[in-house]
Amino acid sequence: MEPVKGKLDVNHELTLKEFPYIIQWRDDRCKRCGQCTAVCPVKAIVPDLRVDRVAGSEGPIPNPSVTRRVTQIVKQVHDIDRYCVGCAMCSLVCPNEAITPEFNPNHKFLFYKNRAGDAYKRGGRRNDPTPSTLDQLKFTRISMLTDPALDAGRHEFHLRTFLGRILPPESMPLKAENGMLVVDKNSDIFIPPVREIYPIMIGSMSVGALSPPMWEGLAMGVAYLNEELGMPVVMASGEGGMPPRLLKSRFFKYFILQIASGYFGWDEIVRALPDMVEDPAAIEIKYGQGAKPGDGGLLMSYKVLKLISEIRGVPMRVDLASPPTHQTKYSIEEAVAKMIQSMSMAWGFRVPVYPKISGTKTARAVLNNLARNPYAAALSIDGEDGGTGAAYNVSMDKMGHPIASNIRECYLDLVKQGKQNELPIIAAGGVGKKGNLAANVAALIMLGASAASIGKYVMQATADCLGDENNRCNLCNTGRCPRGITTQDPKLYRRLDSEKVAERLVDVFKAADVELKKIFAPMGRSTELPIGMSDGLSAGNEEIARKLGISYVC
Amino acid sequence: MCRLAAITASEYFSPLENVHALETMKEGHDGSGMGLMLKSLGGFAENLKEYPALSGICSNDGLKTLDEFMSSRGWREVHCWEPDVKPLPQITRRDHYFTKFYEYPAGIKERPWEQKEALLLETRIALRKLGDKDESITVFSFYPDVLTLKEVGDPLMLAEYFGLEKGDLKAKIVLAQGRQNTNYAINLYACHPFFIQGIGTMTNGENTAFVPIREYLMSRGFPGYIGYQSDSEVFTHILHYTTKRLGFPMPYYKDVITPLKRAEMEGRPDKDALLLMRQSLRMLVIDGPNCIIGFTPDGTCFMVQDSKKLRPGAVGGVKGKYALMSEECGVDSAIPERDRAKDIFPMKYDFVMISPGAQEVKVWNQLKGN
């Protein structure tokens, strides 16, 4: 036997076949400008030299000779820490279409990425390119002859929903006086605050997770939608507060403030309270996130620069990890009832306060607890396909509950109690995952959601986020977002124009509005949002149909 | 689209008038059924007004079961009316069509009306459940001064079949529906008009919001909110829920089923109440094309449209007799002597109400609230 000592272990050297993306570079098209190697956010490609052996002959008589020619090339590195993420920024900048990454379905990335005992972290959402349940649902109850289909372009549609605890009809403090109903001012019944909003909400993405132009662009778009187009779209802040001047502005009413387990940003919010001229749309208490259930928030140090450290009230360049739970609370009564009441009290019970949880089998238990709490304004459930700026890969890929059946079970639980209109359920997580925003939202509403919340879709549609379910890009956690969406580096975020983001956001909502009408009109629905109209939905998969209590079609 | 013919009058008249009106709208019903609901009974029943009337259809066995059940609960039969059926080849005869008038069980008569009304409902539901399995008992209404008759077939033919021309059956309010069977299997319980505690309604249309409304009503914990073989039955129950359970004045039915938009509420003096209702009663908002015609316990008759007025509807007549029809030719048939220029075609904000005894027609406008 040969001695082990002195033997080289070459097993750590990977071939490109192990990599998730392999760079296809064309020698004949490349003009060696170097833009691709400069722009690559992970330095997966480098300029290099290649020596070619060229055999030739010159003169009238064959006289073979071999020469060596040195060629400048673009080379993909074999270092797993600099794996190509498939973002294709190289293709974007290449003037001559000489380079592009190609997905390698046989890659063995996860076998190698968790090195040095540090589990792989990333941004994005669950890596599963198969269609979600929502994308397998069809709208099959079409009004044909027995009732006229409506005209999406001409008829009036009421595409609005309510955010806030709604009193049951029997409890409304109304009394009849001379044949007219009036609100009984002497009644001691608490009328909870309720907002009429657009049924598609922008979900929690924090100021720290997003770059300044991205967050600002979304905020401007939301303000435009509300003020110019009369579409009451609301946007959640995510954990970490908001720019102080927004807290004190009249636009504040279009925003939902999130309080999460790290309580980041709340010093600033509480200080701004006396100067607020408007109440926020709502307060969201984050208990969970679909992308990383049971895990707390995580803003990595690369992103904690001056602005963020000021808003959040923390030093610069430190990892900001929120704990998985609100640690001062030890039970659902503590965590929910007291938090809801405390937050309600801060704004004089004028603002709806609701918890957000990740999709889970225990959602019904939470829901039933909230149903008994007259101050709980809603329940937001974030399914397994939700996105995040930073999480462990294993949390994103393997933890969580799909949103469709979670929503359906919760809604049917409320129906059993007759409370289906009292506690709105907000559905999130993978809405528009395949680009079918309106169809996914409509399906969720018909399964029982009062509204749907979107995050990743917004980033993709308004700023061309590159991330996908083949783990393309997903660099949100590194602060090196090549699109300038999730970075605090001015060199990167100058690639993004906030006004363009705002414009595209408005386009997204206007188009979704048309598509929602195009779905509801043929189903004969226009006067009210078809919440729980499960007879309009079908699935081409018997098991899905059975689980959701809808019809099976083929 | 089903065809509807309702007449309200100060004098008793035969339901044959309604059937003739239906005949003028014949292209709109396919003989899949007719329902007649009479209120303020005359003819043979003029002196039986105080006794609750149980209307239904039974097989021979079913009738035995029904009689046993009723007597075991202490109900004493005062009178039983059965139509003088003339067998026709086109109509499948059932064993017994009947309206039985009962004396209240001992000790009940003195109780408050609410308790008696609850007992009537409870008894009807119990009978319905008794006969549901083998379809031996079908009961449509159990209430004083209300009679219901339903069968599958062409309305004119059914009128002959039931011997309506004999003239012993009369009332001051008659709702008639000629059925155009669409979505659901022909089932007697799916046939309009529907009845609950003094409220009867019928609809032509398609309620596309049926399933969420059904789920909501069934979760209200009220025993009468069952059935729903037809999507139109919820209209009757919403009116019941609005006026009897919540105690809202009648016009608010319109605000429940087709609420105003937020901006439109500004013109209403009761906008604060409307805003609360808009939130709280969201699940009862109807959708699709619908024209609803009905009566309330006090004898008020009404017609109301969906939020876009996608179905026709006409109201016309003279003082003392008004017709509420799904088409104007029906009104022409029922009350030809009226001034047609005064006919009303309710639009999306209108709620037409005709006072008891057909004395006064009022068009309540939802935008104004009066």
Side-chain angles (χ1 to χ4, degrees), chain A residues 141 146-148 150 155-156 158 161-162 166-170 172-174 176 179-181 183 191 194 196 411 415 418 420-421 450 523-528 531-535, chain B residues 182-183 206 208-209 211-212 215-216 219-220 241 246-249 252 258-259 261-262 269-270 272-273 276-283 285-289 307-308 310-311 348:
Chain A
R141 193 221 165 275
T146 60
D147 58 315
L150 299 168
H155 279 122
E156 280 188 344
H158 185 263
T161 192
F162 295 119
I166 297 168
L167 285 178
E170 293 81 4
M172 283 188 293
L174 297 180
M180 195 172 79
L181 285 177
V183 178
I191 303 176
V194 176
E196 190 174 276
Y411 177 75
V415 168
Q420 61 269 52
N421 190 46
S450 281
M523 304 179 87
R525 295 302 306 267
S526 64
T527 315
E528 186 49 85
I531 297 171
M533 185 189 165
S534 53
D535 58 322
Chain B
T182 49
N183 287 9
E206 184 84 27
T208 51
V211 167
E215 283 175 349
Y216 193 74
S219 66
R220 292 302 87 201
Y241 182 66
L246 299 178
F248 291 175
Y252 287 93
T258 61
K261 290 191 286 294
R262 187 108 184 225
D270 48 356
D272 292 342
L276 271 185
M277 282 173 58
R278 182 78 187 82
Q279 298 165 4
S280 199
L281 293 157
R282 166 164 65 159
M283 301 308 280
V285 174
I286 66 165
D287 230 329
S307 65
K308 293 185 172 53
L310 293 168
R311 283 282 193 248
K348 62 179 190 174

